[in-house]
Amino acid sequence: MAVKFVRPKIPKFAPDPWAIQFDDQGRLRHLLTIEGLGPQWITRILDTAEGFVSVTDREIKKVPLLRGRTVVNLFFESSTRTRTTFELAAKRLSADVLNLNLATSATKKGESLLDTLRNIEAMQADMFVVRHDQSGAAHFIARHVAPHVSVLNAGDGWHSHPTQALLDAFTIRRHKGDFTSLRVAIVGDIRHSRVARSQMHVLNSLNVGELRVIAPRTLLPTHVEKLGVRVFHDMREGLKDVDVVIMLRLQRERMEAGLLPSEEEFYRLYGLTEEKLAWAKPDAIVMHPGPANRGVEIESSVADGPQSVILEQVSNGIGVRMAVMSLCMSANRGENA
Amino acid sequence: MTQTDRLLPVNEAIERLEAQIRSDRQEGALVDPLIIGIHTGGVWVADALHRALGCSEPLGRLNITFYRDDFNTLGLHPQVSPSDLSVDVDGRDIILVDDVLFTGRTVRAAMNELFDYGRPRRIALAVLYQRDGRELPICADWAGQELNLGPDEQIHVDGPDPMTARLVTSKES
Amino acid sequence: MKDAPENLGIDHDPVRHPEGCRPGLDCDHWVIRGARLRDPSSGLDTTSDIYLGGGRIVGIGEAPDDWPQDTAEHVCAEGHWLIPGVIDGWARLREPGQEHKASIATESAAAVAGGITTVVMPPDTVPVLDTVAVARYIKRRAQLAGRARVVAIGAMTQHLDGELLAEMAALDAGGCVAISNAHYPFHDLRLMRRALEYAATFDLQVLLQPLDPSLSERGCAHDGAVATRLGLPGLPVSAETAPLAQLIAMISETGARVHVPQLSSAAALKLIERAKADGLPITAGVSAHHLWLTEMDTDALDPNAHVIPPLRSIRDRDALRRGLAEGLIDTVVSDHQPHEPDAKLAPFPETEPGISGLETLLPLVLKLVEEDVLDFERAIDALTTRPAALFGLSDAGSIAVGQRADLALIDPDAMWSLGSIGMASAGENTPFVGWDFAHRVETTWVNGRRVFLREP
C-alpha cells in the first residue's frame, strides 16, 4: 500500500546569522553582536554617539527624537545597572520606557519566551532591549520578532554585549584617538565574559595595534587566540607597553566551580594594583565594565585613581546607547511610526 | 530630468544682511547679541556676520539633527557633529542664522533645541535667502535677498571657502 | 503533530505470520523484475528477477517450484537498485511516553520511506524499557502500524538511573536485541563494572554511549573555536574519551561485548582502534550527521544543529569518515530524534538536542559513496550486514534465498532535495533541509510486504 505524504515545503534556516541585523536596504535594524558590523558601522555609531554625549552635558539632557516610540527593557536576567543606563538613554530620547523584569517569572522555557514576546509586541512596542542568561537569546528573539520591532542585545549568556564594547571603544577613542598604534590588554575572566568577546570584535574591527588577554588558563576559553588576541598568563609580561588596561569582573562562583583556588590568589596574581599598573605605559588608562570588585580584581586606589576612566565609561554609555537606539529606530519606522 | 544652474551673488547678500543687522543694532533693538549658526550652511553665514559685526563672544553652532521632525520618514541624519554653545543663553539676545529660509521647519527645530539650553530673552532670525514655501508661521527678521521660486526650484549653498549659492531648476524631461 | 498513517492491520498471530504481515491478503507474493541486486555481504551484484513469498526471499533469477504465477504481484524495476533493507541501530520513536513528539506509527512510516526496514530503539522511553511488558507493548504497536520492524534495546539498570541492575536476562528472553543505559551515566564505576560482568554472563550485546556527566554539564556544542566565539558552553572531547577509556578498561576485564553507537571525535576513534587491535570485543558506530556536519554548522545558531554528542571539528569529521571507510567504525545510525516545533523554538542552548534522521540516513551515506569517501560495498555493509550481526538478526541484512524479504528499491539518479515536499517523520527538525541527493528510495518491502511506495 502506498503512503502519501503531501506536505508543505520546510523552510530552510538562514545561513548568515549576522545578516539579520540589517534590513533589506542595508540599514541597521537590530544590534545583536559586533560581528558583521564592520569598521564603517562601528565608526558611524561612535560618531553619532559624540553628538548624543554632548547632549548629556547640557542642562536639559533630553532630545525629542524618539517621541511617541516605546522601548521595552526585557530583562530575563536581572541587572539594575545595565537596565538603568538603557532606561536613561531611552528617556533622554523622549521614548516611553517599560521595564519588565522576567528573571524570576516562569519564562525559562522557550515557548513562554515566544509567548511573552507576542504579548509585548501587541502593546505596540518599537524596540526590545534584551538581557538573557543564554547565549544566542537575542538572535532567537530577533528571528521571531514582528517586523516593526528592533532588538537591542543588552547581554546574552557568554556571547555578546555589543553596546558595552562600543562604549569602551568610544571611551578609548576619546582618550587615545587612533586605534592602530594601541596595545590593549583585557584581564580576568575572559571565559565567561560576553563583554570580553564583544570587545575583541570591536577592537579588532577597528584594527587595534595589539590585543592581549591576561588570565590563568581556567579563565580562558578554548582557542581564544582564534579571536585575534595574544595570550599572556603573567601580568608583568602582559601589561608591558600597554596603553589600555581593561579589567573584567570576577564572580565568586568561579572559586566554587574550581576554576580558581581563592580570591586572594587571584588578586595577588592578576588583581590590578598600583604596583602592577606601573608596568603598563605611564599614560595608560584603566577601564572596567563595572561593577568592580575592589580587592578582588582591582585596587581601590587604581579604580579611583588618575588613570581610571571607569566613571567616564558609565556616562559615555548613555550617549552610545542613545546613538544605537536612534540608528536602529531609523531603520524601523514601520507600522507604528 | 534636466537641471539648470544659476549662480546667486553671495557676497552682496551677506553685505545687505550685515547692514540691516548693524542698523537695527544701532537703534538699540539688540543688546550684546549672541550669534548662533544652524549647521552647516547657517554656520558659514554666521561666521561671516560674526567677523563683520565684531561680536566679543564665540560663535555658537547648532546641529538640529536630534530635533528634526522628519525622523519618522527619513531616519537619523548621517551628519552628527555635535552642537557647540559655549556661552550660556539664559536671558540673552540671540541672532539665529541660517542660509535659506524655506518651510520654516529647520528654524522650528533650532528654537526647540535652543530652549533646551536655556531661556533666551529674545531670538531674532537672520537668513541669507528668504524664499516662499513656508509651512510654519515663521518669518526672518533680516534677509540678504528675497526670492520667489517655483516648486521645481531650489537654492544650494556650498562652502565655506569660498561660499557659493546656486539656484537649481529641475525640469521633468 | 502529524496524523498517524493508516494502520496496515493487526497481526493476530505473530507466531504463524511474520510480523507486520496481514494474513490472507494478496501481498504475499511479489516478483521484482529487472532491478540490479546489490548485496555486498554475499558478493551479489547482478541484474535479475527476485521472488518474494511468505515473508521470505524464495527465488533469485528463477521462480520457485510452487510459484503462484497468477496471483503474484509484479514490479518492473529496470534501472533501479535493490539493496537489503537498512537496519538503523539507534533511533528514538518517542513511544511510549513522548507521543507529542512522534509515535511508532509515524516514525516507522518515516523509516520505510528512508529504506529502513528494521529500527532499533534505545530503552529511554517513558516508562523506561526495563521490563518485558514495555518491550511487548512496543512490539505490538509496531505490528499495528505494520511498516518497519521495530526491535528494542532493554535497559541495563532499572529506570536507567545507574544504580540497580535491570533484569537483563529476562529482557533478552523477551525479545530485546541488546541492552544499554542509553545516554545515562552509571552511579559509579563499580556498578558499571558489575553491570558489564552480569551482561557478559549471558553474552548479551551491550550498547554504551560514553559521555561524562560532569565534563558535559551545560555543554551544548563542541568545545572549540566556534563555541568560544558564540559563548556556548563547550563539550570537550575528553567528555567522550575519558569515559571511553574507562569503558575499554572494563571490557578487557569483564569480556563484555560492547558497542559504542555514536563516536564524535578522532581521539575516541583512536581509542577504539587500539582496543580492537588488542582483540577486545568492542565495536563502534557513527551517526550520519557526524559524517557531514562540523562545529561550523552551529555557527548560525541553528537549533537543528544542536546534537549530543556535538558536531566537532573538520579534523574529527574527516577522521570519522576514514574510520568508517576502513571498517574501524562498524555501523552508521540515524540517531533519529524527532521533535515537536516548540522543542527547537528557544535560544540555542535551551533547545532540545537531536535531528530527525530516519529519512536522511541512507541518502547521506550514499552521498559519501558519490563523493568517493566510501565504496558502495562498505556503505551497505555498515547499514545492513554489520548491524544485523551486531543485534543477532541473522535472517536480515542480506539478499539470499531464505532470508527475510526486507528490501529497499533505490532510484540512483532521482535528484531530489530534502524538505521540498515535507517529511514523513512527525519531526521536521533537520539541518539538511535543502540538501540535494541523487539516490532516492522508491519502494520498500518488509517481511515480503510492500510497505512504502513513493508517490510519483
Side-chain angles (χ1 to χ4, degrees):
Chain A
M1 177 175 302
V3 182
K4 194 174 177 181
F5 302 108
V6 181
R7 296 190 48 82
K9 196 176 159 80
I10 302 169
K12 198 169 156 53
F13 200 80
D16 180 357
W18 321 128
I20 190 178
Q21 300 191 102
F22 299 95
D23 69 5
D24 49 10
Q25 292 174 57
R27 294 173 307 197
L28 190 69
R29 184 183 157 208
H30 308 297
L31 182 65
L32 309 172
T33 169
I34 299 294
E35 288 179 86
L37 292 186
Q40 290 84 6
W41 267 104
I42 292 171
T43 307
R44 183 161 175 208
I45 293 169
L46 300 187
D47 289 348
T48 309
E50 289 285 353
F52 285 109
V53 168
S54 77
V55 167
T56 62
D57 294 337
R58 300 187 326 205
E59 193 169 330
I60 295 178
K61 298 170 175 54
K62 196 164 179 165
V63 294
L65 206 58
L66 299 186
R67 220 168 35 178
R69 305 295 191 92
T70 305
V71 174
V72 180
N73 283 325
L74 280 176
F75 276 55
F76 296 91
E77 179 186 82
S78 47
S79 161
T80 314
R81 210 181 47 89
T82 305
R83 203 209 63 219
T84 310
T85 59
F86 275 100
E87 184 176 349
L88 206 52
K91 285 184 167 165
R92 287 185 176 173
L93 290 166
S94 303
D96 295 318
V97 185
L98 188 65
N99 289 314
L100 291 181
N101 183 8
L102 304 162
T104 48
S105 43
T107 44
K108 282 286 149 193
K109 289 298 283 177
E111 308 158 40
S112 43
L113 172 56
L114 266 191
D115 204 44
T116 310
L117 281 191
R118 295 282 171 265
N119 274 287
I120 300 162
E121 274 169 21
M123 299 175 196
Q124 269 77 44
D126 297 285
M127 174 174 275
F128 291 161
V129 177
V130 179
R131 162 70 67 102
H132 199 286
D133 61 357
Q134 294 293 335
S135 302
H139 275 89
F140 171 73
I141 290 173
R143 261 183 222 288
H144 292 95
V145 87
H148 63 272
V149 179
S150 287
V151 177
L152 269 192
N153 187 359
D156 62 328
W158 306 339
H159 173 221
S160 164
H161 193 353
T163 58
Q164 176 69 43
L166 287 165
L167 78 87
D168 293 334
F170 182 89
T171 309
I172 294 172
R173 193 173 78 162
R174 278 208 156 180
H175 282 270
K176 301 287 177 187
D178 180 35
F179 285 89
T180 54
S181 59
L182 291 184
R183 271 198 197 91
V184 180
I186 308 174
V187 186
D189 187 1
I190 316 284
R191 181 193 285 258
H192 303 96
S193 175
R194 50 192 166 216
V195 173
R197 283 177 176 81
S198 288
Q199 283 166 339
M200 291 174 196
H201 292 311
V202 92
L203 292 170
N204 280 324
S205 290
L206 295 172
N207 211 6
V208 71
E210 187 186 329
L211 187 55
R212 301 173 173 183
V213 293
I214 312 174
R217 294 184 61 164
T218 45
L219 297 183
L220 290 170
T222 316
H223 296 315
V224 67
E225 68 285 351
K226 290 195 177 162
L227 295 174
V229 296
R230 267 186 77 188
V231 178
F232 290 83
H233 305 302
D234 178 79
M235 283 288 261
R236 186 190 286 267
E237 288 170 32
L239 289 182
K240 192 174 181 323
D241 297 327
V242 156
D243 300 275
V244 180
V245 187
I246 302 176
M247 299 304 297
L248 298 173
R249 181 178 160 81
L250 184 78
Q251 290 179 334
R252 202 149 268 143
E253 297 98 87
R254 307 304 170 225
M255 268 58 75
E256 290 151 21
L259 292 160
L260 293 170
S262 68
E263 287 181 358
E264 290 72 25
E265 176 148 317
F266 181 80
Y267 187 61
R268 204 161 53 239
L269 294 173
Y270 299 100
L272 190 64
T273 55
E274 286 186 63
E275 185 200 347
K276 289 192 197 115
L277 181 56
W279 298 332
K281 278 192 187 165
D283 64 344
I285 54 169
V286 175
M287 302 173 71
H288 192 297
N293 291 319
R294 290 159 187 250
V296 178
E297 70 253 359
I298 192 164
E299 189 176 30
S300 269
S301 61
V302 173
D304 303 329
Q307 285 166 270
S308 164
V309 297
I310 295 174
L311 292 178
E312 238 178 275
Q313 285 175 271
V314 178
S315 47
N316 289 341
I318 296 167
V320 168
R321 284 167 183 138
M322 287 168 81
V324 171
M325 284 178 168
S326 320
L327 285 167
C328 288
M329 292 282 216
S330 295
N332 153 30
R333 39 180 186 280
E335 295 89 310
N336 290 342
Chain B
M1 185 87 94
T2 57
Q3 281 197 348
T4 52
D5 274 24
R6 180 161 67 85
L7 276 178
L8 295 171
V10 176
N11 290 339
E12 291 81 339
I14 290 181
E15 276 164 27
R16 275 198 297 276
L17 187 58
E18 183 210 325
Q20 292 172 47
I21 299 172
R22 197 184 293 275
S23 116
D24 280 7
R25 205 176 150 190
Q26 274 160 2
E27 288 167 22
L30 290 161
V31 184
D32 189 19
L34 203 57
I35 299 186
I36 296 176
I38 299 175
H39 199 77
T40 50
V43 172
W44 304 329
V45 181
D47 190 44
L49 292 177
H50 189 257
R51 270 182 279 127
L53 295 170
C55 292
S56 54
E57 282 152 319
L59 178 70
R61 295 175 179 82
L62 215 49
N63 188 329
I64 54 123
T65 301
F66 304 147
Y67 290 79
R68 294 173 70 103
D69 59 6
D70 52 9
F71 179 76
N72 283 345
T73 48
L74 293 181
L76 196 64
H77 205 262
Q79 229 164 30
V80 285
S81 63
S83 295
D84 171 20
L85 291 186
S86 46
V87 183
D88 193 2
V89 299
D90 261 345
R92 295 293 301 269
D93 285 5
I94 285 167
I95 301 177
L96 186 61
V97 185
D98 204 359
D99 47 0
V100 181
L101 177 60
F102 182 19
T103 61
R105 288 177 191 271
T106 303
V107 175
R108 195 277 312 165
M111 287 196 292
N112 281 10
E113 178 161 8
L114 268 182
F115 276 87
D116 282 351
Y117 280 89
R119 184 180 181 278
R121 191 179 80 96
R122 185 186 164 193
I123 300 175
L125 178 62
V127 297
L128 198 53
Y129 302 107
Q130 174 158 253
R131 62 162 293 181
D132 48 350
R134 210 80 67 248
E135 293 166 2
L136 295 173
I138 284 170
C139 184
D141 295 79
W142 311 285
Q145 189 179 348
E146 302 271 353
L147 293 157
N148 279 317
L149 301 179
D152 51 354
E153 290 176 303
Q154 275 191 312
I155 302 168
H156 286 227
V157 176
D158 291 310
D161 205 23
M163 232 174 98
T164 58
R166 289 172 302 131
L167 181 65
V168 181
T169 313
S170 315
K171 287 234 191 304
E172 296 288 338
S173 54
Chain C
M1 179 75 207
K2 261 170 223 199
D3 295 334
E6 173 205 351
N7 284 335
L8 290 185
I10 302 172
D11 176 8
H12 292 289
D13 188 354
V15 179
R16 206 155 46 81
H17 299 280
E19 290 147 35
C21 178
R22 280 189 296 185
L25 289 187
D26 59 350
C27 58
D28 268 354
H29 293 85
W30 288 86
V31 53
I32 305 161
R33 297 197 189 279
R36 181 173 165 197
L37 312 182
R38 302 191 75 177
D39 175 23
S41 70
S42 55
L44 186 71
D45 188 354
T46 173
T47 300
S48 174
D49 298 346
I50 183 166
Y51 297 85
L52 319 178
R56 301 275 158 174
I57 297 169
V58 291
I60 295 174
E62 51 190 274
D65 295 338
D66 54 349
W67 185 251
Q69 192 68 38
D70 300 332
T71 54
E73 293 266 359
H74 293 243
V75 177
C76 288
E78 275 93 13
H80 286 49
W81 300 349
L82 193 71
I83 61 164
V86 173
I87 299 168
D88 183 358
W90 198 250
R92 267 92 172 173
L93 307 187
R94 303 300 192 197
E95 189 180 348
Q98 289 184 297
E99 287 86 351
H100 64 289
K101 292 185 186 291
S103 66
I104 287 174
T106 60
E107 300 319 287
S108 62
V112 293
I116 297 165
T117 52
T118 302
V119 181
V120 184
M121 257 178 79
D124 49 354
T125 50
V126 186
V128 165
L129 209 164
D130 57 0
T131 60
V132 175
V134 180
R136 282 201 188 119
Y137 172 83
I138 290 167
K139 190 172 182 179
R140 195 76 188 148
R141 296 292 293 169
Q143 284 169 358
L144 260 172
R147 297 285 191 317
R149 182 150 62 128
V150 177
V151 296
I153 300 173
M156 215 167 172
T157 59
Q158 294 175 30
H159 315 296
L160 295 172
D161 60 10
E163 287 184 3
L164 298 170
L165 298 187
E167 293 179 352
M168 297 180 220
L171 288 165
D172 178 51
C176 289
V177 293
I179 49 163
S180 170
N181 222 44
H183 61 280
Y184 292 93
F186 288 91
H187 181 256
D188 56 32
L189 289 176
R190 186 182 64 165
L191 201 109
M192 176 169 156
R193 190 174 180 282
R194 288 181 177 167
L196 288 169
E197 274 182 319
Y198 191 76
T201 309
F202 305 100
D203 193 28
L204 303 179
Q205 177 67 52
V206 178
L207 277 79
L208 287 177
Q209 178 64 37
L211 187 69
D212 185 83
S214 64
L215 286 172
S216 58
E217 193 198 356
R218 282 192 71 197
C220 63
H222 170 60
D223 189 33
V226 173
T228 289
R229 229 190 66 235
L230 296 175
L232 297 173
L235 267 163
V237 167
S238 57
E240 178 169 90
T241 50
L244 179 58
Q246 289 180 337
L247 179 62
I248 289 169
M250 305 256 182
I251 294 168
S252 69
E253 274 187 11
T254 60
R257 282 195 289 135
V258 176
H259 176 76
V260 177
Q262 285 174 280
L263 293 181
S264 74
S265 65
L269 181 63
K270 218 169 231 162
L271 291 176
I272 295 281
E273 181 174 19
R274 201 173 313 148
K276 281 190 165 184
D278 290 346
L280 295 184
I282 191 168
T283 52
V286 64
S287 56
H289 47 263
H290 280 103
L291 297 169
W292 283 101
L293 306 179
T294 66
E295 57 178 339
M296 300 305 288
D297 293 279
T298 49
D299 191 54
L301 290 168
D302 179 355
N304 289 327
H306 180 192
V307 288
I308 306 283
L311 302 171
R312 296 199 185 271
S313 67
I314 294 176
R315 219 177 53 83
D316 289 310
R317 185 198 63 183
D318 291 349
L320 294 173
R321 286 178 163 198
R322 272 195 308 278
L324 178 64
E326 290 164 7
L328 212 51
I329 294 177
D330 302 87
T331 62
V332 186
V333 296
S334 69
D335 186 32
H336 180 64
Q337 295 187 54
H339 284 294
E340 78 284 17
D342 279 346
K344 295 287 189 182
L345 273 179
F348 186 91
E350 286 187 346
T351 55
E352 294 181 46
I355 288 175
S356 174
L358 289 173
E359 287 155 89
T360 46
L361 172 60
L362 180 60
L364 284 173
V365 173
L366 291 180
K367 202 174 170 73
L368 288 172
V369 176
E370 256 175 82
E371 302 202 352
D372 290 329
V373 175
L374 286 185
D375 54 40
F376 182 82
E377 286 67 29
R378 184 70 262 276
I380 298 304
D381 178 48
L383 290 170
T384 62
T385 321
R386 295 267 187 128
L390 183 68
F391 296 110
L393 305 170
S394 56
D395 56 356
S398 60
I399 298 178
V401 172
Q403 286 290 92
R404 274 177 187 272
D406 290 357
L407 300 162
L409 189 68
I410 295 170
D411 180 350
D413 309 300
M415 287 318 294
W416 61 288
S417 173
L418 185 75
S420 57
I421 52 160
M423 287 169 69
S425 168
E428 292 180 343
N429 48 300
T430 168
F432 296 108
V433 167
W435 280 47
D436 293 322
F437 299 100
H439 303 88
R440 188 170 63 186
V441 175
E442 298 297 331
T443 316
T444 308
W445 286 266
V446 172
N447 285 329
R449 290 193 39 250
R450 190 170 72 182
V451 289
F452 173 73
L453 173 65
R454 189 168 298 281
E455 291 286 303

